[in-house]
C-alpha cells in the first residue's frame, strides 16, 4: 500500500490539452458509470463541451429525484453555461441512469433502460468504483470490491456488447470501452486472483488486496475484450492519484491515508488533472486496443500478473461461466 501511495505513478507522460486535443464528440452516445462521482462527473463535463455529443448517460447509484436532477443540472451548467436550453441547434442530453453494481438485476434494468432510449453506444466508460469498504458480499454473493469494480462492469459490458458492435459497424464510427483500473492492481495477492474465495467476503484478505484483485481483473477484462472484439478499441487506465470522493472515504477508514493526509497534495493531483488520462483514452487516435495506460498515455506499466495470459484466460472463463445466464440485450433498431 505504502509503495503504491508514496512511490507510484505520477501524472506525466503525453502532453494532452483537453481544450485543444479532444476531437469533436458530435452525435456520439456516451455512458459513464460512477459519473456522479468526481472523475466521472468532470469527464462528462469535458466531453460534453466538445462538439455536442448526442447524449451522455450518468449511470450511478440510485438517488432521490431532486439529487439526480441536481447532478444533471450541475453538469449541464458547467459544460454549457446557464443558457444551454436557449441555444439553437442540437443540444446534448444529459441523462441519469440508476445503476447499482452490487446487483445483477439493477445492472440488467440499467441496460434495459438505456436501450429503451438509445440504439447506439459510441463510448462506454467503466469508471465507478469503491475502495476499502467493510468485508461483505454483493447480492449474488461475490466479494464486494470484486463484485462492484469488476464483475458488475463485466456484466454491463456483456449486456451492451451487441449495441457497441452494432454501432461499430456504422460508417465513420470509433467505438470504445474505457476501463478505469488503478496502479493499485499491483496490491493484488501475489498468487493472483483467489478464484476459490471470490464468492466469500474475503475477510482474511487486507482491503488493499481485495481492491488490488478487482483492479487487476479489470486490466484483464480490457485485454480479453480487445482480443475478442477487434472492431472496438478497449483500453484500461490508471488515472493517477487524485483528491476525490474516494480519498475522502480513505481518510475515514485508513490510518496510513490519515497519516499522509497533510502531504497528500504533494503526491496527488486535482480532479482537473486527474481526468486527463480518462479523456486521452476516450479520444486520442494513439490509443492501442488491449493496452493499459498510466497517466498520460504511458503503456507497459502493468504488473507481471496483469501480463499473465494464463491468468487472464482463466478469469475470462470463470467470468463467462458466472454470467452465462445473463443474455446480452439486442439493440431495438438492429432487431
Ligand atoms: N481518485 C484516485 O486517486 C483514483 C486512483 C486510481 C483509480 N481510481 C479509480 O477512478 C474511478 C473513479 O473514482 P473517483 O476517484 O472519481 O471516486 P468517487 O468520487 O468516489 O466516484 C466513484 C463513483 O462510483 C459510484 N459507486 C460506488 N458504488 C457503486 C455501485 N455499487 N454502483 C454504481 N456506482 C457506484 C460512487 O457513488 P457514491 O458516491 O454514491 O458512493 C461514485 O459516484 C474508480 O474506479 C477508482 O477506483 C481513482
Amino acid at each position: 500500500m505504502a509503495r503504491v501511495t508514496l512511490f507510484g505513478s505520477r501524472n506525466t507522460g503525453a502532453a494532452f490539452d483537453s481544450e485543444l486535443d479532444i476531437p469533436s464528440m458530435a452525435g456520439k452516445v456516451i455512458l459513464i458509470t460512477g459519473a456522479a462521482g468526481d472523475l466521472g462527473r468532470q469527464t462528462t463535463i469535458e466531453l460534453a463541451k466538445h462538439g455536442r455529443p448526442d447524449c451522455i448517460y450518468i449511470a450511478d447509484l440510485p438517488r432521490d429525484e431532486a439529487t439526480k436532477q441536481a447532478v444533471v443540472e450541475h453538469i449541464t451548467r458547467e459544460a454549457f453555461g446557464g443558457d444551454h436550453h436557449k441555444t439553437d441547434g442540437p443540444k446534448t442530453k444529459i441523462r441519469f441512469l440508476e445503476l447499482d453494481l452490487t446487483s445483477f438485476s439493477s445492472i440488467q434494468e440499467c441496460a434495459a433502460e438505456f436501450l429503451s432510449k438509445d440504439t447506439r453506444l459510441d463510448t462506454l466508460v467503466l469508471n465507478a468504483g469503491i475502495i476499502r469498504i467493510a468485508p461483505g458480499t454483493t447480492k449474488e454473493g461475490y466479494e464486494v470490491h470484486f463484485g462492484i469494480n469488476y464483475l458488475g462492469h463485466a456484466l454491463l459490458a456483456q449486456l451492451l456488447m451487441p449495441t457497441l458492435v452494432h454501432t461499430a459497424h456504422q460508417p465513420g464510427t470509433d467505438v470504445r470501452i474505457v476501463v478505469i483500473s488503478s496502479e493499485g492492481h499491483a496490491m493484488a495477492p501475489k498468487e493472483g486472483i483467489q478464484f476459490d474465495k471470490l464468492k466469500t467476503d474475503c475477510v482474511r484478505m487486507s482491503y488493499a488486496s481485495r481492491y488490488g484483485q478487482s483492479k487487476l481483473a479489470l486490466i484483464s477484462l480490457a485485454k480479453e475484450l480487445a482480443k475478442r472484439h477487434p472492431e472496438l478499441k478497449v483500453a484500461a487506465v490508471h488515472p493517477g492519484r487524485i483528491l476525490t470522493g474516494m480519498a475522502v472515504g480513505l481518510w475515514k477508514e485508513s490510518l496510513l491515508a490519515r497519516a499522509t493526509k497533510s502531504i497528500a497534495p504533494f503526491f496527488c493531483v486535482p480532479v482537473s488533472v486527474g481526468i486527463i488520462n480518462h479523456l486521452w483514452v476516450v479520444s486520442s487516435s494513439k490509443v492501442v486496443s488491449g493496452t493499459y495506460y498510466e497517466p498520460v498515455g504511458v503503456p507497459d506499466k502493468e504488473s507481471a500478473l496483469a501480463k499473465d495470459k494464463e491468468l487472464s484466460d482463466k478469469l475470462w472463463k470463470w467470468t463467462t461461466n458466472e454470467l452465462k445466464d445473463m443474455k446480452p440485450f439486442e439493440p431495438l433498431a438492429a432487431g
Side-chain angles (χ1 to χ4, degrees):
M1 177 65 187
R3 181 170 68 80
V4 168
T5 308
L6 299 173
F7 307 114
S9 78
R10 305 262 171 236
N11 285 59
T12 52
F16 187 75
D17 181 338
S18 54
E19 289 295 320
L20 302 175
D21 297 335
I22 300 178
S24 170
M25 295 278 133
K28 285 187 192 271
V29 174
I30 300 166
L31 192 161
I32 306 180
T33 68
D38 286 311
L39 296 181
R41 188 177 58 241
Q42 202 57 37
T43 300
T44 306
I45 291 167
E46 290 305 320
L47 293 177
K49 283 182 190 167
H50 286 83
R52 302 261 159 157
D54 181 59
C55 188
I56 307 185
Y57 290 87
I58 303 155
D60 210 310
L61 281 171
R63 290 149 158 86
D64 62 56
E65 283 309 315
T67 312
K68 287 193 280 190
Q69 194 53 32
V71 172
V72 169
E73 275 168 15
H74 171 82
I75 290 172
T76 306
R77 202 172 44 250
E78 291 293 313
F80 308 114
D83 54 0
H84 175 53
H85 300 294
K86 294 184 206 147
T87 316
D88 289 336
K91 296 178 179 61
T92 301
K93 300 179 277 295
I94 307 287
R95 288 185 174 140
F96 196 105
L97 284 177
E98 294 196 343
L99 169 69
D100 180 354
L101 288 160
T102 64
S103 152
F104 282 7
S105 62
S106 171
I107 299 164
Q108 285 177 304
E109 280 160 27
C110 173
E113 175 74 8
F114 168 78
L115 287 171
S116 73
K117 295 189 157 52
D118 251 302
T119 53
R120 66 181 290 143
L121 180 55
D122 296 270
T123 312
L124 174 63
V125 185
L126 304 176
N127 164 78
I130 48 124
I131 187 169
R132 203 183 174 113
I133 63 172
T137 54
T138 63
K139 296 207 172 51
E140 279 74 25
Y142 300 96
E143 189 285 314
V144 70
H145 291 80
F146 200 79
I148 293 177
N149 295 349
Y150 171 72
L151 193 61
H153 277 138
L155 173 56
L156 185 65
Q158 175 166 310
L159 297 177
L160 295 176
M161 189 53 79
T163 310
L164 290 156
V165 170
H166 171 69
T167 310
H169 288 144
Q170 309 304 308
T173 54
D174 174 10
V175 178
R176 300 188 185 200
I177 303 178
V178 171
V179 179
I180 308 304
S181 176
S182 169
E183 66 183 340
H185 75 273
M187 302 186 298
K190 62 181 186 324
E191 306 78 17
I193 290 166
Q194 304 294 290
F195 289 96
D196 59 333
K197 299 194 181 72
L198 293 178
K199 281 197 116 171
T200 73
D201 59 11
C202 295
V203 70
R204 287 175 196 283
M205 271 165 81
S206 69
Y207 90 85
S209 298
R210 287 183 269 132
Y211 178 74
Q213 173 170 262
S214 70
K215 291 295 182 179
L216 169 65
L218 282 169
I219 298 177
S220 170
L221 178 68
K223 293 187 179 198
E224 293 297 325
L225 289 174
K227 217 159 57 186
R228 286 165 176 81
H229 291 284
E231 69 278 44
L232 311 178
K233 261 188 191 163
V234 191
V237 298
H238 163 58
R241 273 165 283 136
I242 309 132
L243 293 171
T244 64
M246 204 163 251
V248 176
L250 263 183
W251 288 333
K252 278 197 218 132
E253 301 293 334
S254 155
L255 194 61
L256 175 65
R258 273 201 302 283
T260 55
K261 183 176 173 180
S262 60
I263 55 166
F266 296 105
F267 56 82
C268 290
V269 296
V271 171
S272 56
V273 178
I275 56 163
I276 294 181
N277 216 21
H278 279 54
L279 296 172
W280 184 84
V281 176
V282 164
S283 67
S284 171
S285 59
K286 298 199 174 89
V287 173
V288 176
S289 199
T291 305
Y292 164 75
Y293 292 101
E294 297 214 343
V296 174
V298 181
D300 211 27
K301 290 277 194 177
E302 66 269 50
S303 66
L305 279 175
K307 290 180 176 159
D308 182 337
K309 291 196 168 77
E310 225 173 280
L311 179 64
S312 191
D313 186 54
K314 186 170 175 191
L315 177 64
W316 179 261
K317 287 184 179 134
W318 178 89
T319 306
T320 313
N321 186 49
E322 297 302 308
L323 302 181
K324 64 178 181 303
D325 297 329
M326 304 283 124
K327 298 290 168 245
F329 294 153
E330 291 302 322
L332 289 179

